[in-house]
Amino acid sequence: MSRALVLHLGLIAVLFAAAFLLPAYHHGNLARIMVLAVYAMGYNILFGYAGLLSLGHAMFFAAGMYGMGLTVRYWDWPMILALPFGTLAAAALALLVAVLALRTAGVAFMIVTLMFSQAGFLVILYFNPITRGDEGFVIPQAARRLAGLDLSDPMNRYLAALVLFSVVLLACHRLVLSRLGRVLVAIRENEERARLLGYDVWAHKLGAVVLSGSVAGAAGAAYGALFGSVGASFAEVPFSILPLLYVLAGGAGTVIGPFVGTAFMFYLRDLAGTVTDAHMLVAGAALIALTLFARRGLMGLVRARWAGWLP
Amino acid sequence: MSLLLTEGLGRRFGGLEAVRDVDLALREGEVRALIGPNGAGKTTLVSMLCGRIAASSGRIHFAGREVTRLPAHRRIRMGMAYTFQITSIFAELTVRENVRLAVQRVADDAALELRVAETLACVGLEGRADQRAGDLAYGHQRLVEVAMGLGQAPRLLILDEPTQGLSDGEVAGFVALIRAVARETTVLLIEHNIDVVMALADRITVLNFGRVIAEGAPAEIRADPVVQEAYLGG
Ligand SMILES: Nc1ncnc2c1ncn2[C@@H]1O[C@H](COP(=O)(O)OP(=O)(O)O)[C@@H](O)[C@H]1O
Ligand SMILES: [Mg+2]
């Protein structure tokens, strides 16, 4: 077994043990962190590996959340169908966005994804009678059941989040060590060289956007199901910036970085909240410190200093 | 039969005709040198062959198929490999990772690491396999570039000034390497070092101001007064 696999399985084991050891407050936090880390891992596939900076991932998160939420609210779908449906909705949206946005690159790609995401947010508000976008709606407790388990129960919720997190973490581990993952890195590092090694750059980028959007959508669907609320605020611009911050803090292009970054930023904000209202100021200061002292994020620093094998 | 054939191939950059009306035919298995003064259009010509830039006029056939409008990656998949004049490698990755990216398209999992190791040994970089490619000396980066070309096991290997920046010893090694490669591969070599050209080429094509001004066996080219005036300096 490789060191990387030991690390990733070890993290899963620690998180599993934590389910039974943590006090209620941190237990709740960690469930939320794991789902948000899935969002960040999805973002990292596109940004950290394929090298495409999207400013519109909230639309994929929201597509997953609403794909799940609307089918449960209006058609009484069970979670076992609603969760995959939400993920599929995000995948379809990602495919559409990719086909259009990949005509651009660099800053133009950032702006186009931002615009699409903003359009998505406005669509949710426009259909307010259906989406209840402005104030959000609650997924009733009776609907929050999966395989006979009540997802509103804190322990079930934590374990469900851990299952999703583990699946995505191990899938990312597989992906980045695969041929496909290496080609994505090649495209990030030197697109023309990759093309002239015979790789279809456009098709790989398309695949990366769809995969990344699907994982973000799965996170959105799970977030709605586990925490019981659906709303347009999850489609707003700040929610697109969030995974970028998490990934930058934790280390872009590392498998474990998104989790580390999410946990770091989550607790930083939490700690800052106890001393000052200006928690965004603290988050900003932390990011400046990171760019000064760990430009490649926390795990990027670990990789550069101590663990060159870190995938 | 020709492996590569061009008909009336041309490329303009605004008002400049960088390449005009080039008819080129490469026989399977030959080593062809493409020579000419700086700015003659050599890089532009081979860039059109591999699809890195589009042709303004004319046609390109490769392996029995017209490829003029085919995207670069499809041509590469048909068996072309291109090494850049301006070194273009994955600087942040290790030498081994660079070469693996070239090899993995043509090798299955069982053969991959062995083929990577063989390719590294071919260019003498096995001792530097785990160094970051961007940290290598310029000459060694050129060899990474060559290794990426070889690693694809191409039918046609296009080399754009591969010996630029190599030491004399490395140049001698390179000549031996291409001799060995040429037993199985057709090679199109842009080269300024006339000794390398004479040592390797079966035929030579001379380009000046975007046009082919002479083509023939090395001895003929050496004796051609037009070539001497344009390029060899009389
Ligand atoms: N992308 C480009 N845009 C404009 N002019 C170019 C471009 N590439 C090459 N040229 C011009 O085309 C001519 C041929 O260049 P090039 O093919 O690089 O010559 P060589 O490789 O023989 O030295 C030169 O005059 C060069 O300045
Ligand atoms: Mg040139």
Side-chain angles (χ1 to χ4, degrees), chain A residues 180-242:
Chain A
L180 179 63
R182 293 200 289 263
V183 175
L184 293 183
V185 169
I187 290 171
R188 176 190 78 197
E189 290 297 317
N190 186 342
E191 187 171 321
E192 189 180 35
R193 179 75 266 188
R195 180 177 296 115
L196 284 156
L197 287 176
Y199 298 113
D200 187 341
V201 169
W202 187 83
H204 278 88
K205 285 182 173 176
L206 186 84
V209 175
V210 172
L211 197 59
S212 173
S214 306
V215 174
Y223 197 96
L226 295 180
F227 303 104
S229 63
V230 172
S233 61
F234 293 103
E236 276 188 285
V237 174
F239 213 74
S240 284
I241 309 293
L242 215 54

Side-chain angles (χ1 to χ4, degrees), chain B residues 37-44 46 82 85-86 160-161 164 190 192:
Chain B
N38 271 328
K42 304 179 296 295
T43 296
T44 305
V46 296
Y82 176 78
Q85 175 175 8
I86 316 242
D160 197 345
E161 304 205 14
Q164 211 179 50
I190 299 178
H192 272 307

Side-chain angles (χ1 to χ4, degrees), chain A residues 119-129 131-135 232-233:
Chain A
F121 171 64
L122 293 174
V123 165
I124 293 172
L125 289 188
Y126 183 81
F127 290 104
N128 197 39
T131 61
R132 312 248 39 103
D134 49 359
E135 63 206 6
S233 61

Side-chain angles (χ1 to χ4, degrees), chain A residues 193 197, chain B residues 81-84 89 95-96 98-104 106 115-126 136 139-154 157 159 162 174 177-178 181:
Chain A
R193 179 75 266 188
L197 287 176
Chain B
Y82 176 78
T83 70
F84 289 76
I89 57 177
V95 172
R96 188 193 307 281
N98 271 267
V99 174
R100 190 187 284 129
L101 278 162
V103 174
Q104 76 169 33
V106 294
R115 288 276 294 275
V116 170
E118 281 170 2
T119 308
L120 285 167
C122 260
V123 296
L125 283 175
E126 65 274 34
L136 297 185
H140 289 135
Q141 295 194 15
R142 298 293 306 159
L143 291 176
V144 174
E145 183 88 45
V146 171
M148 282 202 276
L150 293 177
Q152 299 171 69
L157 176 61
L159 297 160
F174 172 81
L177 172 64
I178 295 304
V181 168

